[in-house]
Amino acid sequence: MTNQPDAPSVVLNLTSVVASGLPSDLGAAPASPFYDVPAVFNRRPAPAEMDALRGAAAHDYLAGAGYPDVTLDVRDRRLIISHTNLGELEHGLATTIADYIDTVSRAALLDQERKQDAAQLDMEERTERAAEVTRAATRVRFIPHTVDPADEPDSAALVEHSTDGG
């Protein structure tokens, strides 16, 4: 659990809009005023980040910021910002989305760090318990008492008794 090669270690953010993913009729007179805008992440989002970006909290955040019709979806390393346009993004929506992604990502990284710390502590505790058990086991000695030969039981009788199954 502590050595997850795909675990994010930097804050998630968007790097750019994917111009080739915009509608081909953009700029033409009868073009739709709202469309999907794909943007590229700096890394692959973690599952917790994807859930937060797709969930109701993201919608509530955007609605509270004045963008009630905008929705977010994650596809691989892209964020699909639906029912918006480049002008809306340029005039404030991009910053609103960036702030939300930053908050979500920092919370996810903090949670991941806490889980890694807990796993590390658990491993250290298990290692210490195993070492203590090993130390206790090495203190056990199988040494017979020195007894007076007159008090010793008859060795032949013990051997005979053990071979009879009794």
Side-chain angles (χ1 to χ4, degrees), residues 145-153:
H145 284 51
T146 306
V147 290
D148 183 353
D151 293 337
E152 267 189 50

Side-chain angles (χ1 to χ4, degrees), residues 48-68 70-73 93 96-97 99-101 103-105 107:
E49 293 166 326
M50 286 189 280
D51 291 345
L53 292 171
R54 291 176 174 146
H59 181 265
D60 292 346
Y61 183 85
L62 292 171
Y67 305 100
V70 174
T71 60
L72 305 176
D73 191 20
L93 178 57
T96 299
I97 291 171
D99 288 345
Y100 185 73
I101 291 171
T103 300
V104 163
S105 183

Side-chain angles (χ1 to χ4, degrees), residues 30-163:
S32 173
F34 298 104
Y35 44 87
D36 292 353
V37 177
V40 179
F41 288 114
N42 62 322
R43 63 167 171 78
R44 186 176 312 280
E49 293 166 326
M50 286 189 280
D51 291 345
L53 292 171
R54 291 176 174 146
H59 181 265
D60 292 346
Y61 183 85
L62 292 171
Y67 305 100
D69 297 327
V70 174
T71 60
L72 305 176
D73 191 20
V74 178
R75 294 188 198 139
D76 195 32
R77 285 188 57 174
R78 292 185 182 184
L79 179 69
I80 308 303
I81 308 160
S82 296
H83 199 76
T84 190
N85 57 52
L86 294 176
E88 195 170 49
L89 284 161
E90 188 177 1
H91 292 102
L93 178 57
T95 299
T96 299
I97 291 171
D99 288 345
Y100 185 73
I101 291 171
D102 185 71
T103 300
V104 163
S105 183
R106 289 181 188 281
L109 289 172
L110 182 60
D111 186 53
Q112 173 189 310
E113 184 179 321
R114 287 180 182 149
K115 287 177 181 176
Q116 287 175 338
D117 289 348
Q120 179 67 30
L121 181 60
D122 182 58
M123 184 177 74
E124 289 169 2
E125 289 173 352
R126 288 177 189 221
T127 301
E128 182 55 37
R129 281 194 309 270
E132 181 55 39
V133 168
T134 300
R135 286 190 291 272
T138 60
R139 291 191 301 263
V140 173
R141 301 282 184 244
F142 294 96
I143 303 171
H145 284 51
T146 306
V147 290
D148 183 353
D151 293 337
E152 267 189 50
D154 181 11
S155 311
L158 286 175
V159 171
E160 183 179 310
H161 181 70
S162 67
T163 58

